Amino acid sequence: MSDKRILIIEDEVKIARFVQLELEHEGYAVEREQDGRAGLEKALQGNYDLIILDVMLPSLSGMEILRRLRQASGIPVIMLTAKDDVMDKVMGLDFGADDYLTKPFAIEELLARIRVAFKHKRIQHVQSDVLQIGNLKLDMDKYTVSFKNEPIDLTKKEFDLLKFLMFNNEIVLTRDTILEKVWGYDYSGDTNIVDVYIRYIRSKIDQRYQQKYIHTVRGVGYQLKYEE
């Protein structure tokens, strides 16, 4: 039996009920809300481990819920939408969604994405603006990185890349994904730039402290993983 609590904010009752039953079958504790404003209030007040959030909701849209939620919480959010629109997905991810599914979807895929989202949470959230993995700490508010409290001097792009890798702790990321998320969708420069900056970070962290954080996955990309 899992101790994870999930909130579903979805106004289509049949879909919400179906997902609830499947999640409860998997051992999760599940609550539902149909209204956008009520869903946001419940999300902010409840002690949930993950939120499944529809885009189209009465009284308050899923995008607005996500925007407000991200001002106060880093809780994993998986968004659902009936629109197969790239811009919707881009907006949701830019607002801080952890993942995105287009209706109709297979329940097995949703379950898999929930497991991945919980795996991400193995990052230690020391504060809402601090990520820590092992002895490596990144403060998003102060824009600092340290190892055992010893400051590490990173450029802005190195910082952004490390932050993206830490947010996706233990997840294998392709070079294209890294390029899009760190350099932007309109980047048209050399795609080898990812490899170059990975080397920069390794020289300042992995090699300097003799602690391997960034792993190369041959033929795919990179993975940040802490091994004691």
Side-chain angles (χ1 to χ4, degrees):
M1 177 67 68
S2 173
D3 61 351
K4 302 294 187 183
R5 300 181 67 236
I6 296 176
L7 173 64
I8 301 171
I9 307 178
E10 165 65 72
D11 64 330
E12 294 187 50
V13 178
K14 290 184 178 179
I15 292 177
R17 181 58 179 161
F18 170 71
V19 172
Q20 179 182 11
L21 290 173
E22 291 293 334
L23 293 181
E24 288 176 343
H25 180 72
E26 294 295 318
Y28 297 114
V30 183
E31 294 183 30
R32 288 189 290 142
E33 182 56 63
Q34 295 176 238
D35 179 77
R37 292 189 183 280
L40 175 61
E41 184 177 348
K42 184 172 285 190
L44 291 172
Q45 294 179 354
N47 186 26
Y48 300 102
D49 296 287
L50 181 139
I51 295 175
I52 297 173
L53 177 63
D54 188 32
V55 171
M56 303 297 291
L57 292 166
S59 77
L60 198 66
S61 74
M63 292 296 183
E64 182 61 19
I65 290 173
L66 178 62
R67 188 187 70 79
R68 297 188 191 184
L69 189 61
R70 279 294 172 257
Q71 294 175 351
S73 172
I75 182 173
V77 175
I78 297 177
M79 299 202 74
L80 305 178
T81 179
K83 296 180 179 179
D84 189 10
D85 191 313
V86 173
M87 290 311 299
D88 272 352
K89 295 180 181 181
V90 170
M91 184 182 296
L93 295 170
D94 284 347
F95 277 13
D98 294 80
D99 211 338
Y100 219 109
L101 274 178
T102 302
K103 302 173 187 175
F105 54 85
I107 191 64
E108 292 81 9
E109 182 177 5
L110 176 60
L111 293 173
R113 294 186 185 220
I114 289 172
R115 291 192 293 269
V116 169
F118 284 142
K119 194 173 184 180
H120 285 192
K121 285 199 69 178
R122 292 176 62 178
I123 297 174
Q124 302 171 29
H125 290 272
V126 181
Q127 299 172 359
S128 61
D129 58 353
V130 175
L131 303 174
Q132 181 167 343
I133 303 175
N135 294 310
L136 184 63
K137 183 186 295 186
L138 184 147
D139 190 314
M140 291 179 283
D141 185 43
K142 297 179 181 178
Y143 230 83
T144 59
V145 177
S146 62
F147 186 91
K148 291 186 176 179
N149 296 319
E150 180 180 337
I152 300 172
D153 185 23
L154 298 182
T155 66
K156 181 182 183 302
K157 192 58 67 177
E158 290 167 354
F159 181 92
D160 292 343
L161 174 55
L162 180 62
K163 180 174 71 172
F164 183 64
L165 292 170
M166 291 180 74
F167 262 125
N168 291 279
N169 182 38
E170 297 193 4
I171 304 301
V172 177
L173 302 166
T174 67
R175 288 174 177 81
D176 287 342
T177 296
I178 295 172
L179 196 64
E180 287 182 358
K181 299 302 180 183
V182 179
W183 274 265
Y185 294 94
D186 57 351
Y187 178 79
S188 58
D190 190 347
T191 57
N192 291 333
I193 195 72
V194 174
D195 302 308
V196 172
Y197 273 81
I198 288 290
R199 287 200 298 271
Y200 290 162
I201 294 176
R202 278 175 167 162
S203 68
K204 294 182 177 183
I205 300 176
D206 296 37
Q207 296 169 18
R208 179 179 176 184
Y209 298 104
Q210 299 299 302
Q211 174 67 65
K212 190 172 181 62
Y213 276 98
I214 301 176
H215 301 256
T216 300
V217 181
R218 292 187 180 280
V220 182
Y222 296 100
Q223 175 190 40
L224 190 142
K225 181 171 63 173
Y226 172 67
E227 296 178 342
E228 297 188 37

